[in-house]
Amino acid sequence: MLVLITYDVNTQTESGRKRLRKVARECVNYGQRVQNSVFECVMDSAKCREVKNILEKIIDKEKDSIRFYYLGNNYKNKVEHIGVNRSYDVEAPLII
C-alpha cells in the first residue's frame, strides 16, 4: 500500500534541528521524498508499524507532529501531480 508520511518538526532549537535530520534520514530509508517534509512509501502494514515506532521515538510529541496517510493499493488513481515531476515509480522495473 502507499503511505504518505508528513512531518512538522520544531526547529527553533539545535535539538529540534537534530530531530528534523533524524526524521528525514529515517523516512529516506523507506520511501522517496516528494516535497520537503513529505515522503511516499510503498510498504505493508508491518513495515508501516515499524516506521511509525521508529519515528515516534525520535520526535518530541509536545513540539513536533507526524501524519500518516494510508492510500491503499489502488493509490495510482488517487494521486494527481501538477508541475515538475522529480519522483519515480517505485514499483516499476529498475534497469541498471
Side-chain angles (χ1 to χ4, degrees), residues 13-52:
T13 64
E14 181 56 39
S15 63
R17 291 186 286 276
K18 187 175 181 180
R19 287 193 312 275
L20 176 67
R21 289 189 298 273
K22 284 183 178 182
V23 168
R25 212 173 9 247
E26 275 305 320
C27 288
V28 165
N29 292 331
Y30 296 97
Q32 67 175 321
R33 183 187 300 259
V34 292
Q35 292 187 354
N36 286 336
S37 297
V38 180
F39 282 80
E40 289 181 350
C41 307
V42 176
M43 60 179 81
D44 60 22
S45 58
K47 186 62 72 174
C48 190
R49 284 191 302 274
E50 175 185 320
V51 174
K52 189 185 299 186

Side-chain angles (χ1 to χ4, degrees), residues 16 27-29 38 43 46 53 56 66 68-71 73 77 85:
C27 288
V28 165
N29 292 331
V38 180
M43 60 179 81
N53 187 29
E56 272 188 79
I66 300 176
F68 294 83
Y69 296 89
Y70 304 100
L71 298 180
N73 292 323
N77 297 328
N85 187 4

Side-chain angles (χ1 to χ4, degrees), residues 53-95:
N53 187 29
I54 291 168
L55 295 177
E56 272 188 79
K57 291 177 183 176
I58 295 172
I59 68 165
D60 180 340
K61 292 180 184 174
E62 300 295 317
K63 299 176 183 176
D64 310 328
S65 69
I66 300 176
R67 296 182 71 126
F68 294 83
Y69 296 89
Y70 304 100
L71 298 180
N73 292 323
N74 297 322
Y75 63 89
K76 291 184 182 186
N77 297 328
K78 298 177 184 175
V79 177
E80 181 178 354
H81 180 90
I82 299 171
V84 178
N85 187 4
R86 296 187 178 160
S87 64
Y88 58 92
D89 182 355
V90 295
E91 296 185 312
L94 179 62
I95 300 172

